């Protein structure tokens, strides 16, 4: 059988494997998917996970549960050598090893783009993975608990200050959702007031949400400012050392929560660790039919899609335009890639990827949103309903759709869950604080209390030895009757 290797289990990789399972005949090809995470994350729901509106596990789609005919390998790909048709993988345990393939599909996705700004690497949290969204939610809820015990002052202000760097869709949606959560939390904390909150959105460009028109972007800025937010346009983060934010405008303040959403960068494996062609930005050069190569010539047995690929946008009127790296394209590219793989395997013609945008929609917090399709603009509650409706239909598998809907229903009846589980990041803290048994220093356990329980004690011999051992160790005897022994 032909061996198809998929590098990456994100949108494009998951949907490619999922569709291949439905289209391939038994014994026609063997599909293997390599990804260090055992699930595909539905990233458009991450802002709502951070705000407690969606349960974290419901945005993570298990690879093994839904890819039943695909071999899933939990590992990271460190090198792609297409000349030899091998990849080097680094498993979660054990040494690196090589995998052979006949056809490769590169859907490794992008990584969070960072800059060498003091304090960012040490204190910032991204919003690309579900673990990050959960950490953001728990940090904010814990900050409210701590601030409620403090008098008004600099420390309380620092705990209730949130800074989001990046004005793209992820940054704006996360910012709006967290602002909505913080405002709602004030009802549960009578010690705190709205004036204690400080939410800052920092964007280096002169506008936010580049996918919408200028008028819509300006409306979103006014809307957030009316809700008490501070929007810093044409502003860069200079430093965030020890939580002290310094902006290029000269403004300075302390923040408890720093969220970094300043765009995506090239995947280092695709950009540097492969002999496949890449463009100047480090993305895989891909033809319109999703085969790796140029318009003049394709590289045999190599395909690519998703955020790590520079896919020509045939629906755009701009010459040389590339598809926007978002979920809307990645999902559909995965489906087209699977169909083309099967067609190529059976000697048929492959088709180019063409997708006309369905518009853009963003949540700005509970009950607030914005939608734009060409000249049609919808704002407020209707746009928020459209956002939820679209994404609950787009999240893969009916099982996940139903789970998300049930969480939304329970939240509508009882409100959002506001319990922080930040301690889960240090699960042994309570165990060790309670005085967990210390490991033996070598040899058999000599503590008399434990020795008496482990050995037979005919005629009370074990008890007398236990008391002797306790006295030798400088501890009082457990039973005064045996002190004379």
């Amino acid at each position: 059988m032909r061996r198809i290797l998929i590098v990456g289990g994100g949108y494009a990789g998951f949907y490619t494997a999922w569709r291949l399972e439905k289209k391939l005949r038994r014994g026609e090809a063997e599909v293997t998917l390599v990804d260090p995470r055992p699930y595909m994350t539905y990233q458009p729901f991450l802002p709502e996970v951070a705000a407690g509106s969606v349960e974290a596990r419901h945005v993570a789609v298990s690879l093994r549960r839904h890819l039943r005919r695909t071999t899933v390998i939990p590992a990271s790909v460190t090198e792609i050598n297409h000349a030899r048709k091998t990849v080097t993988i680094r498993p979660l345990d054990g040494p690196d090893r090589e995998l052979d393939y006949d056809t490769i599909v590169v859907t490794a996705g992008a990584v969070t783009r960072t800059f060498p700004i003091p304090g960012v690497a040490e204190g910032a949290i991204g919003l690309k993975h579900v673990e990050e969204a959960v950490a953001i939610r728990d940090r904010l809820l814990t900050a409210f608990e701590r601030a409620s015990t403090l008098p008004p002052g600099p420390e309380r202000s620092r705990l209730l200050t949130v800074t989001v760097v990046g004005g793209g869709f992820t940054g704006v949606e996360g910012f709006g959702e967290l602002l909505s959560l913080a405002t709602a939390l004030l009802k549960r904390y009578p010690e705190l007031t709205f004036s204690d909150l400080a939410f800052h959105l920092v964007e280096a460009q002169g506008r936010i949400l580049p996918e919408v028109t200028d008028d819509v972007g300006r409306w979103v800025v006014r809307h957030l400012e009316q809700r008490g937010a501070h929007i810093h346009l044409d502003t860069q983060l200079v430093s965030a050392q020890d939580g002290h934010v310094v902006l290029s405008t000269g403004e300075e303040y302390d923040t408890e929560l720093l969220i970094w959403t300043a765009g995506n960068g090239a995947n280092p494996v695709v950009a540097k660790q492969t002999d496949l062609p890449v463009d100047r930005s480090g993305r895989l050069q891909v033809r319109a039919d999703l085969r790796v190569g140029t318009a003049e010539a394709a590289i045999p047995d190599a395909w690519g899609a998703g955020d790590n690929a520079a896919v020509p946008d045939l629906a755009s009127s701009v010459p040389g335009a590339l598809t926007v790296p978002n979920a809307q394209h990645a999902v559909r590219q995965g489906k087209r890639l699977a169909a083309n793989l099967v067609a190529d395997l059976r000697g048929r013609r492959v088709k180019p990827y063409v997708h006309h945008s369905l518009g853009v929609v963003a949540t700005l917090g509970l009950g607030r949103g914005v939608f734009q399709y060409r000249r049609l603009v919808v704002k407020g509650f209707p746009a928020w309903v459209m956002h939820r409706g679209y994404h609950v239909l787009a999240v893969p598998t009916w099982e996940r759709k139903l789970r998300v809907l049930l969480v939304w229903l329970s939240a509508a009846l009882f409100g959002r869950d506001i319990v922080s589980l930040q301690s889960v990041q240090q699960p042994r803290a309570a165990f060790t604080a309670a005085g967990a048994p210390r490991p033996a220093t070598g040899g058999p356990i000599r503590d008399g209390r434990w020795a008496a329980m482990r050995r037979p004690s005919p005629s009370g011999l074990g008890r007398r030895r236990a008391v002797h051992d306790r006295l030798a160790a400088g501890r009082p005897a457990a039973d005064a009757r045996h002190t004379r022994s």
Side-chain angles (χ1 to χ4, degrees):
M1 290 191 298
R2 192 163 186 82
R3 297 165 299 175
I4 301 174
L5 176 65
I6 302 174
V7 178
Y11 296 117
F14 174 82
Y15 274 93
T16 298
W18 206 21
R19 284 300 179 97
L20 283 176
E21 289 192 351
K22 298 177 181 179
K23 292 178 176 293
L24 289 172
R25 305 187 187 105
R26 291 281 183 180
E28 192 171 16
E30 180 183 88
V31 181
T32 301
L33 186 148
V34 179
D35 195 282
R37 287 181 170 82
Y39 54 82
M40 185 275 282
T41 303
Y42 190 72
Q43 293 179 356
F45 274 152
L46 291 184
E48 294 201 57
V49 171
S53 298
V54 175
E55 173 61 34
R57 284 186 174 86
H58 297 170
V59 305
V61 181
S62 171
L63 298 178
R64 294 184 182 274
R65 177 170 184 172
H66 298 288
L67 301 180
R68 300 178 181 177
R69 294 169 53 193
T70 299
T71 301
V72 178
I73 300 179
S76 300
V77 172
T78 60
E79 184 181 2
I80 301 173
N81 190 327
H82 191 61
R84 296 174 48 229
K85 289 194 173 181
T86 63
V87 299
T88 303
I89 66 171
R90 181 163 297 161
L92 300 181
D93 294 293
D96 293 3
R97 61 188 177 93
E98 288 189 347
L99 283 180
D100 300 327
Y101 64 83
D102 298 312
T103 300
I104 190 168
V105 177
V106 183
T107 54
V111 298
T112 301
R113 181 179 59 185
T114 58
F115 301 97
I117 300 174
V120 170
E122 296 81 7
I125 303 176
L127 191 52
K128 192 175 181 64
H129 302 289
V130 65
E131 299 91 344
E132 295 171 324
V134 172
I136 289 170
R137 174 178 177 270
D138 288 343
R139 285 274 294 273
L140 181 62
L141 294 175
T142 301
F144 266 77
E145 292 288 344
R146 295 171 59 190
S148 66
T149 64
L150 297 174
E155 181 61 16
R156 176 193 276 192
S157 298
R158 182 189 66 81
L159 287 170
L160 300 180
T161 299
V162 176
T163 302
V164 176
V165 181
F169 261 83
T170 301
V172 172
E173 288 189 317
F175 186 83
E177 286 287 346
L178 290 174
L179 179 59
S180 175
L181 172 62
T183 305
L185 284 174
L186 291 175
K187 300 177 183 179
R188 309 294 181 184
Y189 293 88
E191 307 90 348
L192 306 176
T193 64
F194 182 80
S195 61
D196 292 321
L197 301 180
F199 274 70
H200 298 265
L201 177 63
V202 181
E203 169 56 43
Q205 304 298 320
R207 53 161 301 174
I208 62 175
L209 298 177
E211 293 85 354
V212 303
T213 59
D214 292 345
D215 290 341
V216 176
R218 285 192 290 267
W219 177 86
V220 174
V221 170
R222 293 195 302 269
H223 170 79
L224 293 174
E225 288 178 338
Q226 290 170 0
R227 292 165 56 187
H230 305 275
I231 311 298
H232 307 270
L233 301 179
D234 290 317
T235 305
Q236 296 180 352
L237 179 67
V238 176
S239 174
Q241 199 73 39
D242 298 324
H244 183 71
V245 171
V246 180
L247 303 179
S248 59
T249 58
E251 184 175 353
E252 299 184 24
Y253 59 88
D254 293 328
T255 187
E256 169 67 10
L257 189 55
L258 178 62
I259 304 170
W260 184 269
T261 63
N264 293 327
N267 191 301
V269 175
V270 176
K272 301 177 182 179
Q273 303 298 326
T274 179
D275 55 355
L276 294 171
V278 296
D279 63 9
R280 293 182 178 179
S281 64
R283 293 199 293 174
L284 203 64
Q285 287 188 352
V286 175
R287 296 156 48 99
D289 57 14
L290 303 180
R291 288 186 288 186
V292 176
T294 63
E296 293 75 25
I299 294 179
D301 305 322
W303 305 73
D307 292 355
N308 67 189
V311 181
D313 190 356
L314 300 184
S316 174
S317 58
V318 179
L322 302 176
T323 57
V324 178
N326 60 20
Q328 189 175 145
H329 281 296
V331 169
R332 288 163 177 80
Q333 286 171 11
K335 296 177 181 179
R336 169 47 51 197
L337 202 160
N340 281 354
L341 277 169
V342 174
D344 183 65
L345 188 65
R346 297 172 184 171
R348 300 173 184 170
R349 293 186 59 183
V350 298
K351 297 180 180 180
Y353 170 75
V354 184
H355 173 64
H356 296 273
S357 175
L358 302 176
V360 292
V361 61
T363 174
L364 301 175
L366 195 63
R368 304 174 178 92
V370 62
F371 167 82
Q372 182 175 19
Y373 176 71
R374 297 181 180 177
R375 295 185 179 180
L376 175 63
V377 178
V378 182
K379 305 172 183 175
F381 183 78
W384 176 77
V385 173
M386 295 170 69
H387 174 273
R388 284 202 162 183
Y390 172 79
H391 285 298
V392 79
L393 291 175
V395 66
T397 78
W398 283 102
E399 171 250 345
R400 279 297 184 260
K401 299 180 197 293
L402 183 58
R403 289 181 185 273
V404 171
L405 285 172
L406 290 175
V407 170
W408 284 344
L409 177 61
S410 64
L413 296 175
F414 307 111
R416 286 185 275 206
D417 196 331
I418 60 171
V419 175
S420 170
L421 295 178
Q422 188 173 2
S423 58
V424 76
Q425 299 173 30
Q426 297 177 334
R428 298 189 69 253
F431 182 65
T432 55
R438 291 174 294 179
T441 57
I445 298 177
R446 302 304 303 166
D447 185 282
R449 182 164 54 95
W450 292 100
M453 295 174 61
R454 294 171 61 90
R455 297 194 302 265
S457 61
S459 305
L461 178 62
R463 288 192 298 273
R464 288 195 295 273
R465 286 180 177 175
V467 173
H468 181 274
D469 288 344
R470 293 180 66 85
L471 291 173
R475 295 192 297 271
D479 191 337
R481 293 174 299 173
H482 300 291
T483 55
R484 287 178 292 180
S485 36

